[in-house]
Every structure is written in structure tokens, then in C-alpha cells.
Amino acid sequence: MERKQILATTSLLVLFVLLLTNCKPKSDSDEDTLLLLAAAASRICANSAYTGTTVVASTATLDTNTDCITGMTSSMSADLPAWIRNNFKCAVGSVSGTNYVFRSQNIPNNKSYYFGSTSPRYEALGSGQKAAGTNQISSQCLVYTIPSSPSEKLTNKTGTQSGYASVGITVNGLAIFNNAAAAPDTLSTEAQTFDQYNGHPQNSGVYHHHSQPLNVSNNNSNLIGMLIDGYAVYGRDCTDAGSSTTTPTIGSGLDNNHGHISTTLHFSSPTYHYHYTSDPTATIPTLIGSYFHGTPGTVSN
Ligand SMILES: [Zn+2]
Ligand SMILES: [Zn+2]
């Protein structure tokens, strides 16, 4: 390569890295950045050929055949392992080389206050809850590239607040966010804005769960989703391959990242996985802690 070319390539790379480091909407502390990005980008999914028709929150209805919002594509390719193929929906999943790829419009199949009061999918907030400003749910184009063979990262673990558009995907195709809130709030304060299914959108419309998605898991051992390092995340309880159920917690069965190695109803040999559990940083139970156990993949939006 000529020197000029190298310089040009290098400056492009630097610009890209700068953009990336400025783009860290994984917690609500980054809402302003996301808002700017959202204003710049159309909300129409660039991959609509895969993910279906862009959903308009005010007219959204539920497709009772797929149990996903009408117009969204829900498909899991045949080469995905059974634990994904048989459990994930409301997104488009496939295998690409050594990764799983999920594309999601990220519209919840539960009702929510944040569809807006004129929407057929509207539901009032629960008692004691308050609205997160004028935030409303909107279609996204989240693309997850997740290693299909998760690898443990024993040192220098990657923080879950390290600049990801989402840190995981639920079995119903929704973004998982970390255990942090916009300073000076703690997540326990922000939990007051959760809808009746424990989710809420950022002001750019990205609906997400820090806490258990109540139409997937309610203090049981259901599979909730997958973090972007490729490890599964389960509900509060752990049911092993022998159908014996326990309730592990951090310091009593679980490491600080909410995980442990055990069999589950989906993994007959002992496998690392996360649990929804009480988190010391969030001061409420969350789906994840402050660090990934493995090497995370990537997420774009
Ligand atoms: Zn949030
Ligand atoms: Zn477990």
C-alpha cells in the first residue's frame, strides 16, 4: 500500500473507532448519544428484507400465530442448535461461520405503556410506576453477531458498560441492557419507569430489559435469552438436567457476573450460564452483572 493510502485508511479507522467509542447506548446513561444517532438514521430497518415490515407503534397488533407483532419476521434457521431454534422468536436467527447472527426489530410482544395511549398494544403503567418522559417504543435494526462456541475470558474481563448497543437478546427478540442507569440514578430508581412486563424504552425508542422479562420468566428457571458472549441467561431458579431446582445467588452458587457451571434442561453436560439475580451495583435483581464471563461478540443498530 502507498503511504497516502495507508494514511487515508488509518484516518478512516480512527474515525470509525471514535464513532464507536462515542456510541455506547448500552445503559440509559447514554441516551443523549443514542438520540443523536437516531435522529441521523432512519428508523426503517436496513435489513427489512429479513426482519419484515417496519412496525408503527400506534397501529401495532399481535400476530397470534407467531406471538410476535404483526409484520415482523420470526424465523430461526434449521442449522441453529435446538436450544435456540426451539426457544427464540420475534427475530431472524441464522448461523454464519463461527457465529450466530440475530436481526431484530426489537418490538415487544407484550403490551406496554410505551406503545402510546392510542395503540392497540397500550397498557397503563402498574401502580406506583411513573412514565419515562415521553419515550415510546420504535422499530430498530439490531444485528447481533454472537460466538457460537463461547470462550471464557479469565483475565481482563470485558465490562458490560463498554459501549454496546445491547448486551444480549431475549428469547422474544428484545435487547438486554446492563446493570447501570443514568447517573446519578441507580437502576432501582429507574425501575420505577418499567412497564408491567419490566421493560422500558430509551428516548430513541429502544425497548429493553435490565430485569426479568415478565412474559418470559417470573421467578422461575425459564430460558430468558443469550448474552453477546454466547452464554445463555436463565430466570432466578436453576433447573438441572435431572430436573432438580435450586435458587443460586451471588456468593452462594453464582460468581459476581451472575453465572455458574451446571447442567440445565437445555445442556446435558455442565455448561456456564447466567441467572437473573440480585445485583449489588444495580441494587435490584438484573439479568447481568458488570462483566461478561466470555469474550463478547458485536451488536450494531
Ligand atoms: Zn433502561
Ligand atoms: Zn444455573
Side-chain angles (χ1 to χ4, degrees), residues 10-31:
T10 311
S11 33
L12 266 179
L13 269 176
V14 168
L15 187 67
F16 187 54
V17 169
L18 277 175
L19 277 172
L20 275 183
T21 46
N22 279 328
C23 168
K24 37 175 186 166
K26 68 297 151 195
S27 82
D28 296 317
S29 51
D30 301 299
E31 284 185 347

Side-chain angles (χ1 to χ4, degrees), residues 234-235 237-239 246 248 254 259-264 271 273-275:
Y234 285 89
D237 295 339
C238 186
T239 302
T246 53
L254 300 181
H260 69 161
I261 294 170
S262 141
T263 63
T264 72
T271 304
H273 57 270
Y274 299 98
H275 281 282

